[in-house]
Amino acid sequence: MTAPPTDARLDQPATNDSTARALVAAIPDPIFRIGVDGRYRGFKVDSERDLMTPPDQVIGRAVHERLPAEVADAILAAGRRAVDEQEVQQIEYSLDLQGDGPRDYEGRVVACGPDEFVLIVRDFTDRTRQERELERERDFSRAVVRSTPSFLALVDEDGILLGVNSALERAAGIPEEEWIGNPFWTLFIAQEDVPRAQEDFQRLRTGDPPGVVEYEHVGPDGEQLVVDWTATVVHDSEGALRYLLCGLDVTARKRVEEEIRRSRARIVSASDAERKRLERNLHDGAQQNLVSVSHAVHLALRSLRTDPDQAEQHLERALEELTTTHEELRELARGLHPQILTLQGLNSAVRSIARRAPIPVTVVTVDHEQRWPPLVESAAYFVVSEALTNVLKYARASSATIRLARREDVLIVEVSDDGFGGAEPSEGSGLGGLRDRVEALDGTFEIDSPPGSGTRIRAELPLEIDQ
């Protein structure tokens, strides 16, 4: 470019070179013409905001008079190199021009004579801020990918692995470098699920994504995992098609669902067994007694006129049968829900159970008059009843202890004995049914029964429940 004048602003050159003037005027960046002695010889700015001093304090002033020392040193060093080497130099620096914080600048330095150079300044603060923000976003994304418990895998159009995150690497027990270049489904998915995984991936490629798919996986220790996978279409920086596979370990949830299913099955089975027991008891007891009553009344009617004494005997027998039937029905009702529990509460009902036991049973309870929600009292009663029944039938214990205690909003029920121990709540057993009953109220149920050291059954029942 034509050298600017030595005694005027750059946008008012002394030459008649209209092309040079047009070029200088068209450049939006501030331009400064500086001698190798460090003094300003000319400048062009579109706004006075681009200057650290008023415009009339630029020409003839030294660079070190207007700029911080480190910036002035860098500009002069670059300018002298540009003059000596006749090559464009580039520098970067920061300045606080208007007191609103430092801004980032890029300077292009080019020789324009044997003893001077031109400095073209561009403010790239917004660009650097955007780059920093983008880098922060990238750092954040990388941190999320590294720390997320979900499994992440990036694959190409053929399902070949391009990268995995730490969670998937740990779950598979295979270093990332051994994954790369292998099909996704060959290294983690259980063998029996591989054909289905390949079919699902082909559906994904043809634009028919299968949604959430569930595969079994085999961990490094042989543990079976269940993972739900979803796929998202992404493109790399060059526009190549990629798939981001995201997996969520649902093993624990599946186990809970399976336990709930089994618990429901046990409840149904227990209900059916209880129904059959009641049917049998009614058939063998009360129903047979009622048949006898009916027969005795029929005989009494037949002999009422011909033999009144015989009729009276038949009626007396009918009354005896009715009394027996009444007692049996009361016993059956007591098995469904004890009357003492309804009328007098849990403490009295528990003490009644203890008194009927053939071995010494110590009862330690809270306030005798305290009443709890009906569902809690019922669950606690049957925990004590079933636990004590197991003590008498299997433990060969010489004594037992029942404890009721309150801890904040929880009722604690414990039954312990000095028997043989070794009790386990097998499926379909009374203890297994107790666990279901307690957990149905969001409570906890524990059995501590080391062989030879007795058994302790403990249930914790929340007192604030929906009735």
Side-chain angles (χ1 to χ4, degrees), residues 342-357:
T342 302
L343 298 178
Q344 301 182 33
L346 180 62
N347 286 296
S348 297
V350 167
R351 292 183 184 278
S352 175
I353 294 175
R355 285 195 298 270
R356 296 199 302 267

Side-chain angles (χ1 to χ4, degrees), residues 186-230:
T186 63
L187 293 175
F188 192 47
I189 296 180
Q191 190 63 36
E192 58 271 20
D193 280 349
V194 168
R196 184 163 58 87
Q198 292 173 312
E199 293 176 2
D200 289 336
F201 192 79
Q202 289 304 316
R203 289 177 56 191
L204 179 64
R205 292 185 60 185
T206 57
D208 180 25
V212 179
V213 291
E214 183 178 286
Y215 306 126
E216 287 194 357
H217 300 252
V218 182
D221 55 358
E223 180 185 9
Q224 291 289 121
L225 303 178
V226 182
V227 179
D228 284 349
W229 287 95
T230 56

